PDB file of all heavy atoms in Angstrom:
ATOM      1  N   THR A 196      -7.566 -54.408 -27.091  1.00 41.00           N
ATOM      2  CA  THR A 196      -6.114 -54.248 -27.327  1.00 41.00           C
ATOM      3  C   THR A 196      -5.659 -52.879 -26.894  1.00 41.00           C
ATOM      4  O   THR A 196      -6.416 -51.912 -26.933  1.00 41.00           O
ATOM      5  CB  THR A 196      -5.790 -54.414 -28.814  1.00 41.00           C
ATOM      6  OG1 THR A 196      -6.525 -53.448 -29.542  1.00 41.00           O
ATOM      7  CG2 THR A 196      -6.159 -55.798 -29.270  1.00 41.00           C
ATOM      8  N   GLY A 198      -4.191 -49.347 -27.113  1.00 41.00           N
ATOM      9  CA  GLY A 198      -4.073 -48.371 -28.198  1.00 41.00           C
ATOM     10  C   GLY A 198      -5.252 -48.387 -29.104  1.00 41.00           C
ATOM     11  O   GLY A 198      -5.266 -47.720 -30.136  1.00 41.00           O
ATOM     12  N   PRO A 223       7.668 -36.502 -36.740  1.00 46.00           N
ATOM     13  CA  PRO A 223       8.460 -35.319 -37.100  1.00 46.00           C
ATOM     14  C   PRO A 223       7.647 -34.348 -37.926  1.00 46.00           C
ATOM     15  O   PRO A 223       6.799 -34.721 -38.714  1.00 46.00           O
ATOM     16  CB  PRO A 223       9.634 -35.905 -37.894  1.00 46.00           C
ATOM     17  CG  PRO A 223       9.104 -37.188 -38.452  1.00 46.00           C
ATOM     18  CD  PRO A 223       8.145 -37.714 -37.456  1.00 46.00           C
ATOM     19  N   ALA A 228      11.486 -30.737 -36.703  1.00 48.00           N
ATOM     20  CA  ALA A 228      11.339 -30.662 -35.250  1.00 48.00           C
ATOM     21  C   ALA A 228      10.710 -31.929 -34.745  1.00 48.00           C
ATOM     22  O   ALA A 228       9.994 -32.610 -35.471  1.00 48.00           O
ATOM     23  CB  ALA A 228      10.486 -29.466 -34.862  1.00 48.00           C
ATOM     24  N   VAL A 255      22.244  -2.216 -22.527  1.00 94.00           N
ATOM     25  CA  VAL A 255      23.695  -2.435 -22.597  1.00 94.00           C
ATOM     26  C   VAL A 255      24.436  -1.104 -22.726  1.00 94.00           C
ATOM     27  O   VAL A 255      25.441  -0.862 -22.045  1.00 94.00           O
ATOM     28  CB  VAL A 255      24.027  -3.365 -23.786  1.00 94.00           C
ATOM     29  CG1 VAL A 255      25.528  -3.436 -24.008  1.00 94.00           C
ATOM     30  CG2 VAL A 255      23.471  -4.760 -23.526  1.00 94.00           C
ATOM     31  N   THR A 282      47.197   4.944 -15.950  1.00 83.00           N
ATOM     32  CA  THR A 282      47.890   4.416 -14.780  1.00 83.00           C
ATOM     33  C   THR A 282      46.977   3.481 -14.010  1.00 83.00           C
ATOM     34  O   THR A 282      45.911   3.882 -13.530  1.00 83.00           O
ATOM     35  CB  THR A 282      48.341   5.561 -13.856  1.00 83.00           C
ATOM     36  OG1 THR A 282      49.154   6.471 -14.596  1.00 83.00           O
ATOM     37  CG2 THR A 282      49.112   5.023 -12.670  1.00 83.00           C
ATOM     38  N   LEU A 286      43.860  -1.759  -6.221  1.00 89.00           N
ATOM     39  CA  LEU A 286      42.860  -1.506  -5.178  1.00 89.00           C
ATOM     40  C   LEU A 286      43.247  -0.325  -4.280  1.00 89.00           C
ATOM     41  O   LEU A 286      42.664  -0.154  -3.202  1.00 89.00           O
ATOM     42  CB  LEU A 286      42.690  -2.767  -4.318  1.00 89.00           C
ATOM     43  CG  LEU A 286      42.168  -4.009  -5.058  1.00 89.00           C
ATOM     44  CD1 LEU A 286      42.107  -5.196  -4.093  1.00 89.00           C
ATOM     45  CD2 LEU A 286      40.797  -3.763  -5.680  1.00 89.00           C
ATOM     46  N   GLU A 291      42.147   3.607   0.077  1.00 93.00           N
ATOM     47  CA  GLU A 291      42.051   4.996   0.526  1.00 93.00           C
ATOM     48  C   GLU A 291      40.630   5.353   0.959  1.00 93.00           C
ATOM     49  O   GLU A 291      40.437   6.092   1.929  1.00 93.00           O
ATOM     50  CB  GLU A 291      42.512   5.931  -0.597  1.00 93.00           C
ATOM     51  CG  GLU A 291      42.493   7.404  -0.197  1.00 93.00           C
ATOM     52  CD  GLU A 291      42.930   8.310  -1.326  1.00 93.00           C
ATOM     53  OE1 GLU A 291      43.408   7.777  -2.361  1.00 93.00           O
ATOM     54  OE2 GLU A 291      42.784   9.537  -1.193  1.00 93.00           O
ATOM     55  N   TRP A 307      21.998   9.403   8.622  1.00 96.00           N
ATOM     56  CA  TRP A 307      21.199  10.229   9.529  1.00 96.00           C
ATOM     57  C   TRP A 307      20.009  10.847   8.795  1.00 96.00           C
ATOM     58  O   TRP A 307      18.887  10.867   9.287  1.00 96.00           O
ATOM     59  CB  TRP A 307      22.092  11.309  10.143  1.00 96.00           C
ATOM     60  CG  TRP A 307      21.436  12.262  11.086  1.00 96.00           C
ATOM     61  CD1 TRP A 307      21.518  13.616  11.065  1.00 96.00           C
ATOM     62  CD2 TRP A 307      20.605  11.948  12.220  1.00 96.00           C
ATOM     63  NE1 TRP A 307      20.808  14.169  12.087  1.00 96.00           N
ATOM     64  CE2 TRP A 307      20.234  13.166  12.817  1.00 96.00           C
ATOM     65  CE3 TRP A 307      20.157  10.759  12.775  1.00 96.00           C
ATOM     66  CZ2 TRP A 307      19.424  13.228  13.950  1.00 96.00           C
ATOM     67  CZ3 TRP A 307      19.336  10.826  13.908  1.00 96.00           C
ATOM     68  CH2 TRP A 307      18.984  12.037  14.475  1.00 96.00           C
ATOM     69  N   VAL A 327      -8.034  10.909   4.391  1.00 91.00           N
ATOM     70  CA  VAL A 327      -8.767  11.152   3.141  1.00 91.00           C
ATOM     71  C   VAL A 327      -9.716   9.998   2.839  1.00 91.00           C
ATOM     72  O   VAL A 327     -10.850  10.211   2.397  1.00 91.00           O
ATOM     73  CB  VAL A 327      -7.768  11.364   1.983  1.00 91.00           C
ATOM     74  CG1 VAL A 327      -8.499  11.426   0.650  1.00 91.00           C
ATOM     75  CG2 VAL A 327      -6.972  12.643   2.201  1.00 91.00           C
ATOM     76  N   TRP A 356      11.728  27.343   0.450  1.00 95.00           N
ATOM     77  CA  TRP A 356      12.084  26.987   1.829  1.00 95.00           C
ATOM     78  C   TRP A 356      13.311  27.748   2.317  1.00 95.00           C
ATOM     79  O   TRP A 356      13.472  27.955   3.524  1.00 95.00           O
ATOM     80  CB  TRP A 356      12.299  25.477   1.936  1.00 95.00           C
ATOM     81  CG  TRP A 356      10.996  24.760   2.048  1.00 95.00           C
ATOM     82  CD1 TRP A 356      10.127  24.498   1.031  1.00 95.00           C
ATOM     83  CD2 TRP A 356      10.385  24.270   3.237  1.00 95.00           C
ATOM     84  NE1 TRP A 356       9.019  23.852   1.505  1.00 95.00           N
ATOM     85  CE2 TRP A 356       9.154  23.693   2.860  1.00 95.00           C
ATOM     86  CE3 TRP A 356      10.761  24.231   4.561  1.00 95.00           C
ATOM     87  CZ2 TRP A 356       8.301  23.113   3.792  1.00 95.00           C
ATOM     88  CZ3 TRP A 356       9.913  23.644   5.496  1.00 95.00           C
ATOM     89  CH2 TRP A 356       8.702  23.097   5.107  1.00 95.00           C
ATOM     90  N   LEU A 366       9.614  33.173   7.627  1.00 93.00           N
ATOM     91  CA  LEU A 366       8.306  32.957   8.273  1.00 93.00           C
ATOM     92  C   LEU A 366       8.442  32.180   9.577  1.00 93.00           C
ATOM     93  O   LEU A 366       7.769  32.501  10.566  1.00 93.00           O
ATOM     94  CB  LEU A 366       7.386  32.205   7.309  1.00 93.00           C
ATOM     95  CG  LEU A 366       6.008  31.816   7.868  1.00 93.00           C
ATOM     96  CD1 LEU A 366       5.196  33.068   8.222  1.00 93.00           C
ATOM     97  CD2 LEU A 366       5.250  30.935   6.868  1.00 93.00           C
ATOM     98  N   PHE A 367       9.289  31.171   9.614  1.00 93.00           N
ATOM     99  CA  PHE A 367       9.386  30.329  10.811  1.00 93.00           C
ATOM    100  C   PHE A 367       9.915  31.105  12.010  1.00 93.00           C
ATOM    101  O   PHE A 367       9.367  31.017  13.120  1.00 93.00           O
ATOM    102  CB  PHE A 367      10.276  29.116  10.528  1.00 93.00           C
ATOM    103  CG  PHE A 367       9.689  28.171   9.514  1.00 93.00           C
ATOM    104  CD1 PHE A 367      10.507  27.466   8.651  1.00 93.00           C
ATOM    105  CD2 PHE A 367       8.317  28.004   9.429  1.00 93.00           C
ATOM    106  CE1 PHE A 367       9.965  26.598   7.724  1.00 93.00           C
ATOM    107  CE2 PHE A 367       7.766  27.131   8.498  1.00 93.00           C
ATOM    108  CZ  PHE A 367       8.586  26.436   7.638  1.00 93.00           C
ATOM    109  N   VAL A 374       5.648  34.274  19.514  1.00 90.00           N
ATOM    110  CA  VAL A 374       5.255  33.592  20.759  1.00 90.00           C
ATOM    111  C   VAL A 374       6.351  33.680  21.808  1.00 90.00           C
ATOM    112  O   VAL A 374       6.340  32.935  22.791  1.00 90.00           O
ATOM    113  CB  VAL A 374       4.895  32.112  20.482  1.00 90.00           C
ATOM    114  CG1 VAL A 374       3.680  32.015  19.586  1.00 90.00           C
ATOM    115  CG2 VAL A 374       6.085  31.376  19.870  1.00 90.00           C
ATOM    116  N   SER A 391      16.282  20.548   9.224  1.00 95.00           N
ATOM    117  CA  SER A 391      15.615  21.447   8.278  1.00 95.00           C
ATOM    118  C   SER A 391      15.501  20.813   6.899  1.00 95.00           C
ATOM    119  O   SER A 391      14.465  20.928   6.233  1.00 95.00           O
ATOM    120  CB  SER A 391      16.398  22.763   8.189  1.00 95.00           C
ATOM    121  OG  SER A 391      16.508  23.373   9.455  1.00 95.00           O
ATOM    122  N   VAL A 392      16.568  20.137   6.470  1.00 96.00           N
ATOM    123  CA  VAL A 392      16.520  19.455   5.168  1.00 96.00           C
ATOM    124  C   VAL A 392      15.481  18.336   5.184  1.00 96.00           C
ATOM    125  O   VAL A 392      14.730  18.139   4.224  1.00 96.00           O
ATOM    126  CB  VAL A 392      17.912  18.915   4.806  1.00 96.00           C
ATOM    127  CG1 VAL A 392      17.843  18.103   3.517  1.00 96.00           C
ATOM    128  CG2 VAL A 392      18.911  20.052   4.667  1.00 96.00           C
ATOM    129  N   LEU A 395      11.968  19.851   4.928  1.00 96.00           N
ATOM    130  CA  LEU A 395      11.705  20.224   3.520  1.00 96.00           C
ATOM    131  C   LEU A 395      11.364  19.000   2.682  1.00 96.00           C
ATOM    132  O   LEU A 395      10.413  19.008   1.893  1.00 96.00           O
ATOM    133  CB  LEU A 395      12.935  20.937   2.968  1.00 96.00           C
ATOM    134  CG  LEU A 395      12.965  21.363   1.500  1.00 96.00           C
ATOM    135  CD1 LEU A 395      13.883  22.570   1.340  1.00 96.00           C
ATOM    136  CD2 LEU A 395      13.471  20.242   0.584  1.00 96.00           C
ATOM    137  N   THR A 445       1.974  -3.059   0.797  1.00 92.00           N
ATOM    138  CA  THR A 445       2.212  -1.681   0.352  1.00 92.00           C
ATOM    139  C   THR A 445       3.206  -0.984   1.262  1.00 92.00           C
ATOM    140  O   THR A 445       4.075  -0.232   0.799  1.00 92.00           O
ATOM    141  CB  THR A 445       0.881  -0.910   0.332  1.00 92.00           C
ATOM    142  OG1 THR A 445      -0.044  -1.606  -0.513  1.00 92.00           O
ATOM    143  CG2 THR A 445       1.073   0.487  -0.203  1.00 92.00           C
ATOM    144  N   SER A 475      28.181  19.345   7.833  1.00 92.00           N
ATOM    145  CA  SER A 475      27.247  18.564   8.663  1.00 92.00           C
ATOM    146  C   SER A 475      26.082  17.989   7.873  1.00 92.00           C
ATOM    147  O   SER A 475      25.381  17.108   8.379  1.00 92.00           O
ATOM    148  CB  SER A 475      26.702  19.439   9.795  1.00 92.00           C
ATOM    149  OG  SER A 475      26.016  20.565   9.269  1.00 92.00           O
ATOM    150  N   PRO A 478      26.018  14.798   1.980  1.00 95.00           N
ATOM    151  CA  PRO A 478      25.802  13.350   1.800  1.00 95.00           C
ATOM    152  C   PRO A 478      26.935  12.750   0.989  1.00 95.00           C
ATOM    153  O   PRO A 478      27.776  13.463   0.419  1.00 95.00           O
ATOM    154  CB  PRO A 478      24.470  13.297   1.055  1.00 95.00           C
ATOM    155  CG  PRO A 478      24.448  14.557   0.261  1.00 95.00           C
ATOM    156  CD  PRO A 478      25.186  15.592   1.069  1.00 95.00           C
ATOM    157  N   GLY A 487      35.108  14.088  -7.766  1.00 91.00           N
ATOM    158  CA  GLY A 487      35.285  13.862  -9.201  1.00 91.00           C
ATOM    159  C   GLY A 487      35.351  15.131 -10.022  1.00 91.00           C
ATOM    160  O   GLY A 487      36.168  15.234 -10.952  1.00 91.00           O
ATOM    161  N   TYR A 491      38.866  16.758  -9.406  1.00 87.00           N
ATOM    162  CA  TYR A 491      39.287  16.112 -10.667  1.00 87.00           C
ATOM    163  C   TYR A 491      39.754  14.666 -10.495  1.00 87.00           C
ATOM    164  O   TYR A 491      40.415  14.128 -11.369  1.00 87.00           O
ATOM    165  CB  TYR A 491      40.394  16.923 -11.361  1.00 87.00           C
ATOM    166  CG  TYR A 491      40.062  18.378 -11.517  1.00 87.00           C
ATOM    167  CD1 TYR A 491      41.002  19.364 -11.220  1.00 87.00           C
ATOM    168  CD2 TYR A 491      38.828  18.786 -11.984  1.00 87.00           C
ATOM    169  CE1 TYR A 491      40.696  20.712 -11.354  1.00 87.00           C
ATOM    170  CE2 TYR A 491      38.517  20.127 -12.127  1.00 87.00           C
ATOM    171  CZ  TYR A 491      39.449  21.081 -11.799  1.00 87.00           C
ATOM    172  OH  TYR A 491      39.139  22.396 -11.939  1.00 87.00           O
ATOM    173  N   ALA A 496      36.818   8.897  -7.131  1.00 94.00           N
ATOM    174  CA  ALA A 496      35.366   9.092  -7.022  1.00 94.00           C
ATOM    175  C   ALA A 496      34.613   7.839  -7.466  1.00 94.00           C
ATOM    176  O   ALA A 496      33.588   7.469  -6.867  1.00 94.00           O
ATOM    177  CB  ALA A 496      34.934  10.296  -7.859  1.00 94.00           C
ATOM    178  N   VAL A 499      34.779   5.257  -4.601  1.00 95.00           N
ATOM    179  CA  VAL A 499      33.830   5.569  -3.527  1.00 95.00           C
ATOM    180  C   VAL A 499      32.397   5.257  -3.977  1.00 95.00           C
ATOM    181  O   VAL A 499      31.575   4.776  -3.184  1.00 95.00           O
ATOM    182  CB  VAL A 499      33.965   7.050  -3.112  1.00 95.00           C
ATOM    183  CG1 VAL A 499      32.953   7.398  -2.038  1.00 95.00           C
ATOM    184  CG2 VAL A 499      35.369   7.342  -2.612  1.00 95.00           C
ATOM    185  N   VAL A 502      31.822   1.557  -3.578  1.00 94.00           N
ATOM    186  CA  VAL A 502      31.672   1.203  -2.164  1.00 94.00           C
ATOM    187  C   VAL A 502      30.250   1.537  -1.698  1.00 94.00           C
ATOM    188  O   VAL A 502      29.586   0.729  -1.027  1.00 94.00           O
ATOM    189  CB  VAL A 502      32.710   1.954  -1.310  1.00 94.00           C
ATOM    190  CG1 VAL A 502      32.420   1.776   0.174  1.00 94.00           C
ATOM    191  CG2 VAL A 502      34.122   1.464  -1.630  1.00 94.00           C
TER     192      VAL A 502
END
Side-chain angles (χ1 to χ4, degrees):
T196 58
V255 171
T282 304
L286 298 178
E291 182 181 351
W307 179 230
V327 172
W356 280 77
L366 176 63
F367 294 147
V374 296
S391 302
V392 175
L395 176 153
T445 303
S475 60
Y491 309 135
V499 178
V502 171

